[in-house]
Amino acid sequence: MGLLRFTFFLIEHEGVRMFLKLMNGLTCIAIGLAGQSLLGFEHTKVLPKGVRNLTIKSVRTSIGKKSNKEGIVEGIASPLEKEMTFKKVVNGESGLKKTQLEALMLYKEFSPDDSLGKLSADMQGNVAVTAPVFSLGLLDNLTLALAVPFYQADMAIKLGFQIERDNANKLLRTLEEQNQIGAANDVAAKLNDAEGSLNGKLRDNGFRELKDWHGEGVGDVTIASKYKALDDEILKVASTNGFLLPTGKTSHPDILNDIPFGKGTLDFFSTLALDQHIREDLFFNQFVKYTHHFPARRKMRMVTEEEAIEVDTLNVRYELGANIDAGTSLQYEPESGLVLGLGYNFAKKMGDKYIVSDRPDTVNKLEKDTHQLAQYWEAKIGYSGVHAYKRGEIPAPFSATVEYKKHIASVNTFTNDFVTMDLALFF
């Protein structure tokens, strides 16, 4: 029974361990998604005193691939696609039992590299964010704003186990020759239901079964002020400062493929933006933004490199690494109302810090590969009715724009693109 027991311990335990390793990394990546989704073309404009603005911002993205620490793009479920070889079965044991298994493999001519099959997996996610943004011109050079994003997200997952029929049949014959008919039947049943075995292992350790996930809810609320410090004919300078409130849900420690809607931290951010006008309707913009995350706590699984299943859950104190975003763009806004823009964005996130008493292995695992880099091209097209309103051609000023952000390269983050639609009304 040793060969049977340890073969399926490997399939269940190793498969879930690899999935947990994958999803622990995706949690950090998805947290970064929340911040990237609402970034757009920067400028130094503020509202005139007493003027209000309501913008409905709608962001859509699909999640299917990610970049690793070397910047190589791969499917988000690719770490799950793992061969279950006899060598791994043997390595799962030690001492006399390991020697016995090696002798049996040698006697029955099992090669260490022979495989019982391969775990296959596919994961695809979609995220939609709708954010009403209300702004008020408090002074001619000072605007206040409030944004409340609402998330709708899903993550579909398909798991399977592709059996290596020749080796599987050879294993079954070996068990039958040793008069282990019941064991042979059990092997056949589990080979044909590897997904059920994985889910059983998860249930036994307090996790939710691997199945499609859907969630919706409020994300992190933004409160900000924008101050225009310089309004020269050619050079304009503005600073935006504010807080992100931890109103969005963080990732659930027992649901492996959920997507967080927030970071769980109170954040302060500061942005400096410069416009250089080539002429009145054509200008370059450059901006740099810094975000500091204050320390916080949330429940997490105490994973290590060696163990990610049979672990307890603790309320962990953590501090996310600071974010630095920067970009440049060329924007064209003639009196006809046409709005055009072309730009480049760069995003960097420092590594996270976790404080877990007397658990250095867990700290090392949680902090591993939490730094991120990303680069994007972006383009914008739309219409602004501000000039038409001033000419008396329309009853109220409004604008409608569509932005597309294209992923160029990244490290430790999703490689998805973003589509953003803005509809703004001034009153």
Side-chain angles (χ1 to χ4, degrees):
M1 291 293 291
L3 181 59
L4 169 68
R5 181 172 64 253
F6 289 110
T7 296
F8 286 99
F9 171 81
L10 176 72
I11 293 175
E12 297 167 355
H13 191 89
E14 183 70 8
V16 177
R17 187 184 71 81
M18 289 302 297
F19 190 84
L20 288 169
K21 182 177 180 180
L22 166 69
M23 294 314 297
N24 286 334
L26 292 190
T27 295
C28 299
I29 295 172
I31 287 172
L33 179 69
Q36 281 294 328
S37 62
L38 296 179
L39 289 179
F41 280 80
E42 282 288 344
H43 54 74
T44 63
K45 298 174 186 175
V46 293
L47 294 175
K49 182 178 179 180
V51 174
R52 292 157 292 179
N53 166 254
L54 177 62
T55 298
I56 304 299
K57 183 179 288 288
S58 178
V59 185
R60 299 290 186 273
T61 190
S62 296
I63 303 168
K65 296 182 179 181
K66 67 180 183 67
S67 55
N68 60 23
K69 62 182 180 181
E70 284 85 26
I72 299 172
V73 177
E74 56 189 11
I76 58 178
S78 60
L80 275 175
E81 298 181 344
K82 193 174 184 67
E83 291 283 350
M84 298 302 171
T85 65
F86 284 100
K87 179 179 180 180
K88 292 173 183 174
V89 176
V90 173
N91 289 341
E93 197 42 72
S94 60
L96 180 60
K97 288 185 177 180
K98 182 175 182 178
T99 302
Q100 290 173 337
L101 286 173
E102 290 175 331
L104 178 62
M105 288 179 57
L106 182 62
Y107 174 66
K108 293 296 181 180
E109 298 181 347
F110 287 114
S111 168
D113 295 326
D114 285 345
S115 173
L116 284 170
K118 182 179 180 179
L119 284 170
S120 61
D122 182 54
M123 293 178 62
Q124 294 290 330
N126 294 286
V127 180
V129 185
T130 302
V133 184
F134 178 76
S135 303
L136 169 66
L138 191 64
L139 302 172
D140 284 335
N141 61 351
L142 179 63
T143 295
L144 304 181
L146 172 69
V148 184
F150 182 80
Y151 280 70
Q152 293 176 300
D154 60 75
M155 180 68 78
I157 179 169
K158 293 181 180 179
L159 294 176
F161 186 73
Q162 185 177 355
I163 302 173
E164 179 57 53
R165 293 292 177 183
D166 291 341
N167 292 332
N169 290 335
K170 187 176 179 181
L171 173 62
L172 293 175
R173 288 195 299 270
T174 299
L175 294 173
E176 291 170 352
E177 289 170 3
Q178 295 180 358
N179 295 320
Q180 297 188 33
I181 305 301
N185 292 335
D186 197 13
V187 168
K190 288 199 171 186
L191 281 173
N192 286 288
D193 189 25
E195 183 177 350
S197 298
L198 288 171
N199 281 325
K201 188 70 176 178
L202 286 171
R203 288 194 305 269
D204 292 343
N205 289 277
F207 292 96
R208 194 193 77 156
E209 293 184 4
L210 297 178
K211 57 184 179 181
D212 293 352
W213 175 89
H214 174 80
E216 57 184 33
V218 174
D220 290 348
V221 171
T222 300
I223 300 175
S225 66
K226 186 173 186 179
Y227 175 69
K228 196 167 192 177
L230 180 62
D231 192 14
D232 188 71
E233 182 178 349
I234 296 178
L235 178 63
K236 304 177 188 297
V237 180
S239 174
T240 303
N241 300 279
F243 290 90
L244 274 78
L245 309 181
T247 51
K249 80 171 188 70
T250 57
S251 58
H252 196 291
D254 301 330
I255 302 176
L256 301 178
N257 60 325
D258 76 334
I259 296 176
F261 300 157
K263 301 175 289 298
T265 62
L266 174 65
D267 302 342
F268 170 77
F269 66 89
S270 182
T271 304
L272 179 65
L274 290 81
D275 291 341
Q276 299 93 44
H277 279 256
I278 300 173
R279 58 190 203 188
E280 187 177 356
D281 58 3
L282 182 65
F283 64 93
F284 283 103
N285 170 269
Q286 299 86 42
F287 78 92
V288 60
K289 176 182 179 181
Y290 175 82
T291 304
H292 174 76
H293 310 280
F294 292 95
R297 289 182 176 273
R298 66 185 176 96
K299 291 183 178 180
M300 301 185 69
R301 289 273 183 166
M302 296 295 95
V303 297
T304 66
E305 287 289 350
E306 290 72 30
E307 182 56 63
I309 306 173
E310 298 173 355
V311 295
D312 55 345
T313 302
L314 292 179
N315 195 25
V316 176
R317 182 177 174 83
Y318 66 100
E319 184 175 353
L320 300 178
N323 293 79
I324 298 175
D325 299 279
T328 184
S329 63
L330 177 64
Q331 301 180 48
Y332 179 52
E333 300 177 355
E335 290 194 3
S336 64
L338 178 66
V339 175
L340 294 175
L342 183 65
Y344 165 82
N345 279 353
F346 171 83
K348 179 176 182 178
K349 175 184 169 295
M350 310 301 182
D352 302 336
K353 296 180 181 179
Y354 292 86
I355 301 174
V356 186
S357 300
D358 302 323
R359 299 205 185 189
D361 292 341
T362 293
V363 171
N364 290 337
K365 175 61 180 175
L366 294 176
E367 293 181 353
K368 184 178 180 180
D369 298 333
T370 54
H371 65 283
Q372 298 173 10
L373 294 172
Q375 300 179 66
Y376 300 91
W377 287 114
E378 59 180 356
K380 175 175 69 172
I381 186 171
Y383 173 79
S384 172
V386 173
H387 291 294
Y389 172 76
K390 290 179 179 179
R391 294 192 297 264
E393 298 173 357
I394 58 176
F398 74 95
S399 68
T401 59
V402 177
E403 299 178 12
Y404 178 68
K405 182 178 287 187
K406 174 67 177 177
H407 171 269
I408 303 172
S410 62
V411 172
N412 289 330
T413 189
F414 290 130
T415 60
N416 50 305
D417 304 331
F418 296 89
V419 176
T420 302
M421 293 178 286
D422 286 358
L423 180 61
L425 177 65
F426 303 87
F427 56 97

